[in-house]
Every structure is written in structure tokens, then in C-alpha cells.
């Protein structure tokens, strides 16, 4: 339950960040939330699959857009 709440809180932080900064990377999210690269990727993938973010590019050059 605590893990689910933390994930929800982090996803909300990402969405707030996305509203301020239209174009960002996985590294920006890692710095924002102080999480690992894989955790940041999982959060971003989740938001893309929900249709809340758009993914542009592949591999090292991936950018996320609102």
C-alpha cells in the first residue's frame, strides 16, 4: 500500500514537471525524483501507455512530451 502511494505521488510529480517543462528526458526524472534509471523508465513508460505523455525518439535520444 505504501509502495503504491509512493508510485502515485511520483507519477503526479512527473506530470506537474511535464506541465512546466514541455520537453524532458529520463535523466531529468531521475534527478527530480532521485530514483534509478530503470525506475524512471518504468514511470515514464507507464505514463506513455496511459496516453498522458508522448515519447519521441529511441534509445539514448528519447524525449518525452506533454
Amino acid at each position: 500500500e505504501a509502495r503504491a502511494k509512493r508510485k502515485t505521488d511520483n507519477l503526479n510529480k512527473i506530470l506537474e514537471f511535464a506541465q512546466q517543462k514541455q520537453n524532458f528526458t529520463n535523466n531529468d526524472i531521475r534527478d527530480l525524483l532521485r530514483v534509478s534509471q530503470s525506475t524512471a523508465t518504468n514511470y515514464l513508460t507507464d505514463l506513455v501507455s496511459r496516453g498522458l505523455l508522448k515519447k519521441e525518439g529511441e534509445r539514448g535520444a528519447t524525449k518525452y512530451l506533454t
Side-chain angles (χ1 to χ4, degrees), residues 1-63:
E1 183 177 315
R3 183 180 294 163
K5 181 178 179 351
R6 184 170 53 239
K7 180 178 180 181
T8 301
D9 290 344
N10 284 339
L11 292 176
N12 288 333
K13 286 180 188 176
I14 293 171
L15 291 174
E16 288 173 18
F17 179 76
Q19 294 301 320
Q20 297 169 5
K21 191 170 180 184
Q22 301 298 316
N23 188 351
F24 57 94
T25 65
N26 184 305
N27 287 340
D28 295 327
I29 301 306
R30 287 172 46 196
D31 294 341
L32 174 71
L33 301 177
R34 292 187 171 94
V35 294
S36 70
Q37 179 179 345
S38 60
T39 300
T41 301
N42 290 339
Y43 287 160
L44 291 168
T45 302
D46 186 22
L47 291 172
V48 168
S49 68
R50 293 182 192 188
L52 299 172
L53 293 178
K54 294 176 188 165
K55 183 176 174 182
E56 182 178 272
E58 291 297 323
R59 308 211 63 184
T62 303
K63 301 254 188 247

